[in-house]
Amino acid sequence: MTLRERLRALPAFPRPGLPDLDPKAAPPTPHELFVAWMDEAIDAGLLLPHAATLSTADVAGHVHARTLLLKDLTADGWWFASQSTAPKGRDLAANPHAAMTFLWPELGRQVKVTGSAASAGAEASRADFFARSDLSRAVGLVNHQSEPLASMEEYELAFAEALRAVTEDPELVAPDWTAYVLAPTEVEFWQAPDDGPHVRLLYRADSEGWTTGLMWP
C-alpha cells in the first residue's frame, strides 16, 4: 500500500460523539468561547491542549511556523513567549501580523486566531521568565535558537553553564526574553460533526466590538 493509500484510509476523527457548535448560542466575544473550549479540552484529558502553531512572516513575506504553548488569555489577547532575537521574534519585529492555530482532533475542533503580536512589556516578560522552571529558564538563557550547532556536546556545555547560573541566581533573567500578546482581529471556530457539514463560526473585530458570521465549510 502506498503512502497516499494509507493516508486516504485514515479516519478524519478517531471516535464518534463529537460535541457540537450552535452559532445561535455563541457568547459575544471569542475569548469566552475559546475559554469554554479550552476547559473542555483540558477536562477531556487531551494531550497538550494549550499547544498551538504560531505562523509569522518576515519582511520579505516568507512564512515560518512552529509549535509553542499558550501562556494566558486576557482581554488583550493570546499570550506566548520567546526570545526577541529568535526567528519568531525577528519576524514579529519586522511584521507583527501573525496567527495561532489550535487543533483538538479528539473533539473535532480547530481555532484560528489572526491579528498582530507585540511585546507585553518588560515587567510581563520578567514575570513570564520567573514563572518557568529552572530547566526552562536555562534553555532561555542559552539564547542561540535556530543558529547552527557544531555538536550536541557544545550545547550540553552551554546548557549546563546556564543551568548553574539560574540555580545560583534566582533573579537572573534572559535579557531578550519577551512575553508577546497576539491581539486578534479575527477568530475562527471550526467544529466537525459526527455526520453532516462542518460548522465555521467567525468572530471579526470592528469599532463596536465583535461581530459573528458563518463561513462555508
Side-chain angles (χ1 to χ4, degrees), residues 46-153:
L46 271 58
L47 181 64
L48 295 177
H50 55 330
T53 299
L54 175 70
S55 301
T56 60
D58 61 23
V59 69
H62 300 132
V63 178
H64 308 110
R66 75 289 288 165
T67 301
L68 46 66
L69 298 180
L70 179 70
K71 292 302 177 184
D72 199 2
L73 172 59
T74 66
D76 294 326
W78 278 249
W79 291 60
F80 62 94
S82 174
Q83 299 280 4
S84 61
T85 52
K88 66 180 78 65
R90 296 197 300 270
D91 280 0
L92 293 172
N95 178 0
H97 299 294
M100 295 180 78
T101 305
F102 298 82
L103 176 63
W104 302 305
E106 296 89 344
L107 299 176
R109 287 175 168 173
Q110 176 179 274
V111 180
K112 182 175 65 176
V113 184
T114 306
S116 296
S119 169
E123 183 176 346
S125 298
R126 286 174 59 87
D128 179 271
F129 193 76
F130 287 144
R132 294 169 179 268
S133 68
D134 286 350
L135 293 179
S136 179
R137 291 169 62 211
V139 171
L141 194 63
V142 171
N143 193 18
H144 289 290
Q145 191 179 84
S146 299
E147 296 178 11
L149 176 64
S151 68
M152 284 305 300
E153 290 76 16

Side-chain angles (χ1 to χ4, degrees), residues 184-186 203-212:
T185 54
E186 292 185 348
Y203 286 80
R204 180 177 286 116
D206 60 24
S207 59
E208 302 298 323
W210 292 97
T211 60
T212 59

